[in-house]
Amino acid sequence: MALSATLHNFAVQLADVDRNVYQDLELRIARHPSETAEYMLTRLLAYCLEYQDGIAFSDGGISATDEPAVLVRDLTGRLTAWIEVGAPDAERLHRGSKLAGRAAVYTHRDPGKVLAQLAGKRIHRAEAIPVYSFDRDFIDAAVAALGRRNTMTLSVTERLLYLDLNGTSLSASVDEHRLG
């Protein structure tokens, strides 16, 4: 018998001062049995840091082969942003950059290893694709505070994150790296 996804609910108060985005979000995230809590949390942070009209988690989640973890579509349904999480392979990133015109990677892994894995590979407009990383201690502490029902406040100022997750207060920077 196949294991089913576990649903996590998030009531998020987002205050992204850098982008002038202030939003209350009610999110339901299905965590696939093969998905780590670190990956799910990074997916959630990527969603919040990229939040705009038309943003969505991919339908297939971690098992989607033709969609990124997070995507943005305009009002006509055209894909405008391809947001990968973790350590995507170069072919997916190349395809996404061509389809959407804008791509980004958010990772909870060692950014040096992610960049090395993608170095020298054919990726459309690689120099324009940012790779954002989070401090491993920050991710580990946030994962420890996760529950099935979560209350979260995320404030972003000058790419510094101030996170309150179920009463646990954390802060970290979002480090930007470039492929090209």
Side-chain angles (χ1 to χ4, degrees):
M1 181 176 187
L3 296 173
S4 62
T6 302
L7 283 178
H8 293 266
N9 295 300
F10 291 88
V12 179
Q13 288 183 323
L14 174 62
D16 189 335
V17 177
D18 295 346
R19 298 183 310 124
N20 201 30
V21 173
Y22 303 92
Q23 195 71 41
D24 288 336
L25 308 168
E26 292 291 331
L27 302 171
R28 291 181 58 178
I29 300 177
R31 181 175 161 208
H32 190 273
S34 66
E35 181 179 10
T36 66
E38 292 83 1
Y39 183 96
M40 182 188 72
L41 180 67
T42 304
R43 196 163 49 108
L44 172 62
L45 291 172
Y47 183 97
C48 292
L49 293 171
E50 294 285 337
Y51 185 81
Q52 61 184 285
D53 287 340
I55 195 165
F57 293 111
S58 70
D59 290 334
I62 194 170
S63 60
T65 57
D66 59 343
E67 288 184 333
V70 178
L71 51 85
V72 180
R73 294 187 186 278
D74 66 13
L75 293 174
T76 66
R78 186 178 62 87
L79 192 62
T80 60
W82 183 281
I83 313 301
E84 289 284 358
V85 171
D89 78 8
E91 191 174 308
R92 280 177 60 95
L93 207 47
H94 173 75
R95 181 174 175 268
S97 181
K98 285 181 80 170
L99 282 174
R102 184 174 78 80
V105 177
Y106 285 82
T107 190
H108 57 289
R109 298 175 184 256
D110 178 349
K113 290 180 181 177
V114 173
L115 293 170
Q117 169 190 317
L118 298 171
K121 303 279 175 64
R122 185 174 146 231
I123 300 172
H124 182 70
R125 295 177 19 133
E127 69 285 348
I129 300 174
V131 176
Y132 298 110
S133 64
F134 303 102
D135 179 69
R136 186 63 199 201
D137 291 337
F138 168 77
I139 294 293
D140 290 343
V143 163
L146 278 176
R148 295 279 301 274
R149 296 194 179 283
N150 301 278
T151 303
M152 180 172 134
T153 302
L154 180 64
S155 299
V156 184
T157 304
E158 296 179 4
R159 292 307 268 185
L160 290 175
L161 302 182
Y162 300 94
L163 174 69
D164 184 282
L165 180 59
N166 299 327
T168 300
S169 296
L170 305 164
S171 63
S173 63
V174 180
D175 298 320
E176 182 177 340
H177 315 274
R178 289 288 172 170
L179 292 176

